[in-house]
């Protein structure tokens, strides 16, 4: 596979398949319909006492910037399973999830991010293959200008606002996003 | 496209792509990698006074059985937008969403279902193209043996348990699902 291949092969014709009501990408060589739906990102704000686990990205996009352990949910796992897997893969962290912090929709890039709240079972964390470094940071040490994605800041602020609370409603924007729906 | 075509063409070779850590389906004809991730179902328990909007399915799977207005989230919308769109498409219902009722993971079929609580803006509802009928049912009228999917019953029971409540935690199973993850 190279870029040329990606451009000139695979699903690349936009058409409305029979029985559907919107355009999909179809491969003219093999007939495959590439149904593209939003992808789920799962992750967690994980703490050890009053410090928050953060990871410095070793990969693009946003290499070198700081993020929470999070990534694409995979088939065969629950959303909480996925958040536990990502904490292990990115920070060698074992965690106990206690609540859903928020759902962060990012329609511009086709993502739904489910971010949980969790406690580390041990402060022994280490950079996984996709992290250049991991750190346990006090709230005052969070490198706000160096956060990888806007949703990282949103989740951190939602975490901070709910400290000491249990049984709270997850943060989610329920308002119409205004593309003329209904 | 027919069944034969689906079997013999398109992404069908299982292999681990370079830089990845799990098998994906790759098309030997065009090199396309079909990353399959869980898909998001969005829907709502919608009420008019003390009656709940339900739809009788006009399509497979589970044609003839009763469900909530819900369906695959599409690109370019938020999860709440998607639930509003599905209420319109399946029941010609305009709704006001007020809370996230629950997240229902169904890893066996690669789904994450986000079900909201909403009020109908009007009792004027009607079957959309994927519904054979729609109905506004009292709690005692819900056809439990004729529900289309197990998560429909879960969402209805979670709705019932939270009636009159606001600011509640969404229903979600946070426990490890037991495949040896951590």
């Amino acid at each position: 596979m190279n870029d040329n291949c990606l451009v000139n092969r695979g699903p690349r014709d936009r058409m409305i398949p029979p029985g559907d009501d919107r355009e999909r990408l179809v491969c003219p060589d093999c007939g495959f319909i590439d149904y593209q739906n939003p992808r789920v990102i799962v992750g967690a704000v994980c703490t050890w006492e009053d410090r928050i686990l953060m990871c410095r990205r070793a990969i693009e996009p946003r290499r070198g910037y700081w993020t929470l352990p999070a990534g694409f949910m995979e088939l065969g796992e629950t959303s909480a399973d996925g958040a536990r897997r990502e904490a292990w893969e990115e920070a060698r962290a074992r965690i106990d999830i206690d609540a859903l912090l928020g759902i962060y929709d990012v329609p511009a890039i086709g993502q739904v991010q489910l971010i949980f709240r969790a406690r580390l079972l041990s402060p022994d964390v280490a950079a996984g293959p996709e992290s250049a470094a991991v750190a346990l940071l006090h709230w005052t040490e969070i490198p706000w200008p160096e956060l990888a994605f806007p949703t990282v800041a949103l989740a951190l602020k939602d975490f901070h606002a709910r400290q000491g609370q249990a049984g709270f409603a997850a943060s989610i924007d329920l308002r119409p996003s205004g593309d003329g729906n209904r």
Side-chain angles (χ1 to χ4, degrees), chain A residues 8-177:
Chain A
N8 294 320
R9 308 186 81 174
R12 58 193 183 273
D13 287 359
R14 289 207 163 272
M15 59 176 69
I16 300 178
D20 204 339
D21 64 355
R22 64 185 67 207
E23 286 189 340
R24 310 288 177 181
L25 276 178
V26 179
C27 180
D29 302 324
C30 73
F32 179 75
I33 303 171
D34 183 27
Y35 287 100
Q36 290 192 4
N37 294 86
R39 288 197 164 147
V40 181
I41 298 287
V42 284
V45 176
C46 310
T47 51
W48 178 258
E49 295 165 352
D50 61 347
R51 291 182 296 160
I52 296 167
L53 174 63
M54 299 205 64
C55 308
R56 192 162 203 156
R57 290 175 64 81
I59 56 171
E60 296 295 348
R62 302 289 278 162
R63 179 183 177 137
Y65 287 81
W66 289 87
T67 190
L68 298 167
F72 288 107
M73 184 176 173
E74 295 281 2
L75 289 178
E77 65 187 8
T78 66
S79 44
D81 285 341
R84 279 183 285 267
R85 177 182 51 71
E86 289 290 342
W88 176 255
E89 289 182 3
E90 302 199 346
R92 296 298 180 245
R94 294 173 198 276
I95 64 174
D96 180 30
I97 295 175
D98 87 316
L100 175 69
L101 262 184
I103 298 182
Y104 307 95
D105 287 291
V106 195
I109 55 171
Q111 287 187 1
V112 181
Q113 303 192 358
L114 307 182
I115 306 298
F116 297 92
R117 182 174 75 177
R119 282 174 316 134
L120 290 162
L121 299 180
S122 144
D124 297 323
V125 293
E130 298 186 356
S131 302
V134 294
L136 289 169
L137 301 175
H138 288 279
W139 180 252
T140 54
E141 296 172 322
I142 289 171
W144 299 100
E146 293 173 60
L147 296 185
F149 310 108
T151 51
V152 175
L154 291 176
L156 285 168
K157 288 172 182 169
D158 285 332
F159 164 82
H160 194 64
R162 285 159 184 77
Q163 273 190 297
Q165 295 179 37
F168 52 80
S171 174
I172 178 171
D173 192 348
L174 299 175
R175 296 171 301 177
S177 67

